[in-house]
Amino acid sequence: LLMDLRMEGVVLVDDQRFNFQSETTQLLRYCKVARYDAAYRCVGFQKDMGGIGAHSDADYETLRRFVEDPWMCKETLQVRCSARPLPAEQERNPVKLVVFDFDETLTMATFMPRDEGCENTMGWLPSDALVPEWTAADLIQYNFESPWASGSRVARLQSLFKSLVHGSLGQPRALAILTRNQSGVVAVLNLLRIAGLDQHFSVIWTMPAKPDGAAGAYQVDGQWTTFDPPVSAWHDHKADLLANVVTQPEAWFPQLANGKASDEPRLGSLRHLSLENVVLVDDERANFRTDSEQSMARVLRYCKVARYDENYRNCGSLNQMGGIGAHSEADYETLQSFVEQPWNFPYEPSPGLGVAAASAFHTGAAGAGGANLGEGEGHVPEGRQREVEPQELERKLPRVRTFGSPDLSSFATLPLSTA
């Protein structure tokens, strides 16, 4: 039976997603077992637990069905939105603030110019570089445009941001960026401006705080100004920072403190925020719940952008790529619908084998097939839901493109970002 074995004849069942693909080889059929943290028997709180069927009997039927008919379980790479359970009186509170990650959420993969001006000079352009490295068109293509989606991804993002800000139900909203990027806020803003994606954002915050530079920038009437938000005053985690944004919005939105928000209903509404008024869009699941046992901060409404490894343009194999709409145009509609009515995307769907099994199947761009065991949001009770996946803690491979001239190749390496 095994004498004529081929790759499609093998299924790997594993709890670590990075075991499904190396730099040179990709498994075609696999099952991902859910990971979670939990208080376990008499040994106390344990991290990175797993196990087929640990929380859902549907795992056994899902795995059996996948092995019997793997062609029915194509992998998809789409955003997944969830709203944690809230008291009835809070459940329909509107979203007032949408916070986006930058690296591998707005970008596909972040290719940051090496020229110092990009990090230090607001309004920097590729033509200002001392050494020719990128054109503006190249930066837009490599950072933001998807080779796997039709049309312009930049145009779709611009349309999405405009729709989110104005809202179809009359609720004004502000957009912000919170990113862990070593190049800093000016570099992030410069990439956004080159692609024409900055105009709908009110503020950008970067982590961690830089001792020699600002960690924030805010926009008033089309003009951006740097400032110092209290990033270093709180635990170094996005959930903790957003919890402070809710309690002290004036410290994070200078427009509120200096009176510049009087003509901006979307900013004025931020004076009275609660956690359910905030949505975080991010490609790192670990960012939705703090790693601090003291604060226990968590994001109540969030959208998880799909992660994947892929051969990208002339860069070879890149790991931990992402990007809203990178593979599916449904991402834009899903995200907009979630922001408008997050209560229609409950964290825990109706129980039952049919729902559980259906939510276990996902698809991917490379035609691979995979099933997720116990990873439907309803499979693991709220207190035990695993928010961190080990592969997300892997170091990202440098974002490097292949040049015709060897003299320029050293200038295209990404200053690595981790969120």
Side-chain angles (χ1 to χ4, degrees):
L1 179 63
L2 301 180
M3 293 297 293
D4 298 319
L5 192 62
R6 302 173 62 176
M7 285 294 291
E8 63 268 25
V10 178
V11 168
L12 174 62
V13 184
D14 203 305
D15 65 321
Q16 299 196 23
R17 191 178 300 277
F18 58 76
N19 288 329
F20 303 141
Q21 180 169 332
S22 70
E23 293 185 14
T24 59
T25 305
Q26 180 184 56
L27 291 177
L28 299 180
R29 292 170 174 173
Y30 56 84
C31 287
K32 169 70 172 65
V33 178
R35 301 294 294 269
Y36 55 93
D37 302 340
Y40 186 62
R41 302 189 187 278
C42 61
V43 296
F45 187 79
Q46 300 292 308
K47 289 190 172 184
D48 294 337
M49 295 184 66
I52 299 169
H55 291 98
S56 174
D57 287 343
D59 282 1
Y60 308 110
E61 176 65 12
T62 299
L63 181 54
R64 185 192 66 79
R65 288 176 53 197
F66 178 66
V67 171
E68 293 289 340
D69 301 306
W71 47 86
M72 299 294 293
C73 311
K74 296 295 184 181
E75 187 185 44
T76 55
L77 295 170
Q78 297 180 354
V79 297
R80 298 180 64 189
C81 300
S82 295
R84 298 186 191 276
L86 293 169
E89 64 273 15
Q90 296 175 254
E91 185 180 58
R92 301 221 167 198
N93 284 355
V95 173
K96 300 179 181 180
L97 174 62
V98 184
V99 181
F100 290 86
D101 175 44
F102 179 71
D103 300 303
E104 287 76 47
T105 293
L106 296 183
T107 66
M108 304 274 297
T110 304
F111 292 80
M112 194 67 74
R114 294 292 296 272
D115 188 81
E116 291 184 358
C118 183
E119 294 188 18
N120 301 320
T121 305
M122 196 176 298
W124 176 93
L125 294 172
S127 57
D128 300 330
L130 296 177
V131 177
E133 178 189 359
W134 296 91
T135 65
D138 284 343
L139 283 175
I140 294 171
Q141 182 184 54
Y142 279 77
N143 282 285
F144 298 106
E145 294 292 5
S146 173
W148 303 294
S150 60
S152 170
R153 180 171 174 267
V154 168
R156 295 299 302 271
L157 287 174
Q158 290 171 334
S159 177
L160 171 67
F161 299 154
K162 182 178 179 180
S163 298
L164 292 177
V165 165
H166 296 292
S168 62
L169 300 179
Q171 172 62 51
R173 299 186 194 90
L175 304 186
I177 292 173
L178 174 59
T179 185
R180 187 179 298 276
N181 188 293
Q182 295 180 11
S183 296
V185 67
V186 173
V188 170
L189 175 57
N190 282 331
L191 282 187
L192 288 169
R193 294 182 73 169
I194 290 170
L197 294 173
D198 65 302
Q199 61 264 38
H200 294 296
F201 288 95
S202 298
V203 69
I204 301 172
W205 308 304
T206 55
M207 304 168 61
K210 299 181 69 174
D212 56 347
Y218 69 98
Q219 180 177 201
V220 175
D221 297 329
Q223 298 297 314
W224 284 92
T225 305
T226 58
F227 76 107
D228 290 310
V231 173
S232 59
W234 305 96
H235 179 62
D236 188 31
H237 193 282
K238 290 187 179 182
D240 292 276
L241 265 59
L242 290 178
N244 186 252
V245 170
V246 167
T247 58
Q248 301 184 54
E250 292 84 1
W252 298 87
F253 289 89
Q255 303 95 318
L256 299 178
N258 60 25
K260 296 294 186 181
S262 57
D263 297 327
E264 288 274 6
R266 58 178 173 164
L267 292 178
S269 67
L270 301 182
R271 296 184 187 278
H272 306 286
L273 276 178
S274 56
L275 283 174
E276 67 270 16
N277 296 138
V278 180
V279 164
L280 175 61
V281 184
D282 207 305
D283 64 309
E284 298 268 6
R285 189 176 297 278
N287 290 328
F288 303 139
R289 185 195 295 262
T290 185
D291 55 5
S292 168
E293 296 183 4
Q294 284 72 40
S295 73
M296 300 299 290
R298 61 180 182 172
V299 179
L300 299 182
R301 292 169 171 174
Y302 58 86
C303 187
K304 171 70 170 65
V305 177
R307 300 288 293 272
Y308 54 94
D309 302 340
E310 192 58 85
N311 290 315
Y312 185 61
R313 303 192 185 278
N314 61 344
C315 307
S317 179
L318 297 184
N319 71 333
Q320 299 193 50
M321 294 187 66
I324 299 166
H327 289 92
S328 174
E329 292 190 3
D331 283 1
Y332 307 107
E333 182 178 351
T334 298
L335 180 54
Q336 184 171 348
S337 297
F338 177 68
V339 171
E340 295 286 354
Q341 297 179 318
W343 46 86
N344 289 333
F345 296 76
Y347 183 85
E348 295 183 340
S350 302
L353 177 59
V355 172
S359 66
F361 298 119
H362 299 275
T363 89
N372 286 1
L373 302 182
E375 285 198 326
E377 296 289 12
H379 289 180
V380 184
E382 166 69 13
R384 294 176 284 183
Q385 177 66 41
R386 173 66 179 162
E387 298 290 358
V388 181
E389 295 183 1
Q391 81 281 1
E392 294 179 343
L393 305 180
E394 269 192 299
R395 186 173 177 84
K396 293 178 183 175
L397 295 176
R399 289 5 185 169
V400 181
R401 62 174 180 170
T402 302
F403 290 87
S405 169
D407 295 334
L408 298 181
S409 60
S410 63
F411 288 93
T413 302
L414 168 72
L416 290 173
S417 55
T418 57

